[in-house]
Amino acid sequence: MAEKVRVRFAPSPTGLLHLGGARTALFNWLYARHNKGTFILRIEDTDRTRSTEEYIDAIIEGMRWLGLDWDEGPYRQTDRFSIYKSYADKLLREGKAYYCYCSPEELEKRRQEALAQGRPPKYDGRCRNLKEPVPGRVAAVRFKMPQEGETVVDDLIKGKVVFDNAQLDDLIIIRSDRTPTYNFVVVVDDVDMEITHVIRGDDHLNNTPKQIHIYRALGYRIPAFAHLPMILGPDKTRLSKRHGATSVTSYKEMGYLSDAFVNYIVRLGWAHGDQEIFTRDELIEYFSLEDVGKSAAIFNPEKLLWLNSQYIINSTAERLGELVMPFLLKQGIIKEGQILDREWLSKGIKTLKERSRALVELANSLRYYISEDIGIDPKAKEKFLNKKSLPYLIDVKEALKRLDNFVAQEIEKAFMTLVEKHNTKLGNIAQPVRVAITGKTETPGIFEVLEIVGKEKVIKRLEKAIKTIG
RNA sequence: GGUCCCAUCGUCUAGAGGCCUAGGACGUAGCCCUCUCAAGGCUAAAACACGGGUUCGAAUCCCGUUGGGACCGCCA
């Protein structure tokens, strides 16, 4: 029987949860859920100068928004220093690691020199065989890498990747301030947490042979590795602040639905035939590392927006009503504590669903249903609210005033009567009314808009428009 | 500079030697629907980086070239 899958997402809290991290987390989560395994969240905060509590909270918030629940953790590496120390001591005792007395400044200088001369900037191993401590110096601990032979990484995505051990550096595993470093703690933790599959960005592929030697030195089994291709910006370089919004939270704030976002990032590097839209359950059912591609993907905001619009169309009006609330508040369309009739709101949202690509847009369109403070687009006003349309507006107002049953169907009948009376096209009447009522030239069908706005407000807005013309 | 990874429409991708006249999706353009805008439907333009092999046959396998990317820290 196959061993139970245990995977982890291990972000370092030195920034917000970004697109690439989110996808790594998602693939780990999907792999765990597909295989009925365990998904672990581990915070890699060994770099105390750059890690913050705020970023930890932000990452957790991002994970929650994405709906990626973890079964264990969040573990924090800063809570586990004694574990790393005991493993480091073991390596030291066994002669698999040694003290290095070179100062960071010296090392940096040597590195620059090597780079300038076109040599590989590798540690020269000068402390490797030291018999005595160097007085007056604080030591770091280095791991003794094998200097010959080859190391093969058998990657689930990239295949067999061969590294020449002579390239490998004696890396520092414990800094001179006694804190452990990444390449060491990641191995210790993955061993300690019994991780079976390491799924991470392919920027770590070059670290893998080094880590493999640490596993061996410690006498542990090597997990399976799967290195995911990177997500690049439109300029084909690694996604960064320069490319604008890259944090998961910013997509939440722009009004993307969590499911749409997940659906978008899963398709970056993974496909299931020609299918574009997946439910969570389908994702869990279909996900496989075998279907993950090898090449980097470029982030395409247009497609994300399209997916979002599809998810909005397929959401119920009730659900959208809940989701749009924070946006209504933030955009000043409702006030704190203001209560809306949910049934009425849903009716309005139904007309707007297929015209809103994000929740911000939906909220914005909802303005002319909810608020009196609509604001009329000056260009629309000039074109449609003028002497030519005045008689239509007056007639519409009068006809609607006489309507008792203020529903779309009846409103339409009233409009059609006027179309005949004036011997004109519906558009010539509808468009000025649209602008008078919504302030915009683009809205849902005019009859349903009028019904939702309601008779009283409609008459009021028409009167106001008539007054500004006349 | 060294090491490693990658290469199908502008973008995400399907493609496991013959199903390929290379499929789908976003975006773009046109048409239909239509009170506007969407949504929806239909149509179009758009790709196997290049060069050598292997093979009866290559987008698919091998080699090279070119191009892109990542990594080479007492960062992760």
Side-chain angles (χ1 to χ4, degrees), chain A residues 9 11 15-19 21-22 25 55 58-59 62-63 66 246-249:
Chain A
F9 174 55
L16 300 169
L17 181 60
H18 57 93
L19 233 43
Y55 286 138
I59 288 166
M63 295 282 288
L66 294 172
T246 56
S247 81
V248 164
T249 321

Side-chain angles (χ1 to χ4, degrees), chain A residues 114-131:
Chain A
L115 245 21
Q117 291 169 28
R119 285 185 289 118
K122 194 185 153 184
Y123 177 64
D124 57 12
R126 64 176 66 189
C127 297
R128 212 176 212 233
N129 300 308
L130 239 41
K131 299 277 187 301

Side-chain angles (χ1 to χ4, degrees), chain A residues 87 102 138 154 170 186 215 240 286 312 322 330 368 385:
Chain A
Y87 280 94
C102 303
V138 239
D154 197 0
D170 280 356
V186 76
Y215 277 100
S240 70
Y286 300 150
I312 288 179
E322 285 165 33
K330 196 174 163 196
Y368 49 73
L385 300 184

Side-chain angles (χ1 to χ4, degrees), chain A residues 160-314:
Chain A
K160 282 197 196 326
V161 183
V162 182
F163 293 87
D164 189 350
N165 289 342
Q167 299 290 335
L168 269 27
D169 225 345
D170 280 356
L171 52 89
I172 288 178
I173 58 173
I174 305 284
R175 299 180 186 101
S176 49
D177 67 359
R178 316 310 298 160
T179 60
T181 61
Y182 167 75
N183 275 299
F184 182 56
V185 296
V186 76
V187 172
V188 170
D189 280 339
D190 287 342
V191 163
D192 200 59
M193 295 173 190
E194 301 180 292
I195 300 302
T196 56
H197 300 256
V198 173
I199 304 169
R200 71 212 326 182
D202 71 10
D203 45 340
H204 286 289
L205 187 55
N206 286 307
N207 284 326
T208 310
K210 301 175 197 171
Q211 292 170 11
I212 284 176
H213 289 296
I214 299 177
Y215 277 100
R216 285 186 185 150
L218 256 16
Y220 289 103
R221 242 185 65 203
I222 295 156
F225 292 101
H227 286 96
L228 307 170
M230 302 267 90
I231 300 175
L232 274 23
D235 59 354
K236 294 190 169 198
T237 65
R238 213 187 154 128
L239 216 49
S240 70
K241 317 266 177 307
R242 272 181 313 111
H243 299 105
T246 56
S247 81
V248 164
T249 321
S250 62
Y251 286 94
K252 181 187 176 187
E253 283 163 5
M254 287 187 278
Y256 287 85
L257 306 195
S258 157
D259 286 340
F261 186 80
V262 163
N263 198 146
Y264 178 71
I265 59 178
V266 82
R267 287 285 289 97
L268 254 26
W270 178 83
H272 183 73
D274 286 337
Q275 190 170 342
E276 293 287 348
I277 297 177
F278 299 86
T279 63
R280 291 262 168 162
D281 288 343
E282 284 175 322
L283 248 25
I284 291 169
E285 188 188 338
Y286 300 150
F287 186 79
S288 153
L289 289 173
E290 282 168 39
D291 296 321
V292 175
K294 293 179 173 187
S295 52
I298 294 172
F299 173 69
N300 179 212
E302 294 288 341
K303 188 155 183 183
L304 170 57
L305 200 54
W306 171 77
L307 263 168
N308 205 47
S309 73
Q310 292 298 308
Y311 271 84
I312 288 179
I313 288 170
N314 294 319

Side-chain angles (χ1 to χ4, degrees), chain A residues 54 90 94 110 167 215 307 360 466:
Chain A
E54 288 70 36
K90 182 169 176 261
E94 294 171 355
R110 280 182 234 155
Q167 299 290 335
Y215 277 100
L307 263 168
V360 219
I466 290 165

Side-chain angles (χ1 to χ4, degrees), chain A residues 358-386:
Chain A
L359 294 171
V360 219
E361 289 179 20
L362 176 61
N364 217 273
S365 302
L366 242 18
R367 180 184 293 274
Y368 49 73
Y369 288 154
I370 297 170
S371 169
E372 265 322 289
D373 178 25
I374 54 168
I376 293 180
D377 173 41
K379 276 176 91 176
K381 185 176 177 177
E382 195 190 322
K383 189 165 176 198
F384 294 108
L385 300 184
N386 51 32

